[in-house]
Amino acid sequence: MAQVEATTERIIAAQPEGVFDALADYSGTRAKILSEHFSEYEVREGGDGEGTLVHWKLQATSKRIRDCLLEVTEPTDGELVEKDRNSSMVTTWRVTPGGEGASRVVVTTVWDGAGGIGGFFEKTFAPKGLGRIYDAVLDKLAAEVEK
């Protein structure tokens, strides 16, 4: 099993604190910025950053739907980590200054991929697909915080 990694980033014209607060707002903003690939969104505990437990289904392809139950931590300033209780998937959101009045948002997801030929295709194509999904989320995040 090889580790699979997908990374997407964007410069957003808003202060880092506001961008981070929007990402950490699982009971409000986060549900609004998810793309059509996410369904059955539900905050089960908390709702604001550290200590949140959130559920959703992520439909990466027409046949691949992942049932996610994510524990949220904030290991450092400007960083949210979402660990899936149902798999090896971990998504890390990092918000740092991106120039005057702007933020750089980097989202990285890693998981243990399949072995064999299936793992080869997963490692080759899954990062591109997940990148497109997170591009859509970052578009919506930018629209939300750049108001």
Side-chain angles (χ1 to χ4, degrees):
M1 265 195 294
Q3 192 168 67
V4 182
E5 180 175 318
T7 300
T8 306
E9 68 179 81
R10 172 85 35 93
I11 298 294
I12 294 178
Q15 294 294 332
E17 297 79 18
V19 173
F20 182 83
D21 288 348
L23 279 172
D25 180 17
Y26 290 88
S27 60
T29 306
R30 184 59 82 94
K32 292 191 280 187
I33 65 170
L34 294 177
S35 69
E36 68 277 2
H37 300 91
F38 296 85
S39 63
E40 299 183 29
Y41 183 90
E42 176 188 19
V43 175
R44 296 196 177 164
E45 293 175 18
D48 185 24
E50 179 90 30
T52 296
L53 182 66
V54 64
H55 171 268
W56 60 61
K57 287 192 176 176
L58 172 59
Q59 184 162 359
T61 68
S62 61
K63 295 180 181 174
R64 180 77 169 119
I65 300 173
R66 188 183 287 257
D67 191 330
C68 303
L69 183 60
L70 304 150
E71 296 177 350
V72 179
T73 59
E74 294 182 31
T76 61
D77 283 350
E79 184 176 67
L80 284 172
V81 177
E82 302 167 344
K83 291 183 181 174
D84 186 11
R85 287 185 179 175
N86 298 332
S87 73
S88 62
M89 187 172 72
V90 177
T91 299
T92 303
W93 298 83
R94 286 185 186 86
V95 181
T96 57
E100 188 159 338
S103 304
R104 180 175 180 248
V105 181
V106 179
V107 56
T108 302
T109 300
V110 295
W111 68 96
D112 296 332
I117 192 74
F120 169 78
F121 284 106
E122 181 180 26
K123 193 168 182 79
T124 303
F125 297 108
K128 291 179 180 86
L130 199 54
R132 284 191 296 275
I133 291 169
Y134 281 117
D135 273 339
V137 172
L138 290 172
D139 285 346
K140 289 183 166 199
L141 173 63
E144 185 69 25
V145 299
E146 290 177 350
K147 291 178 181 176

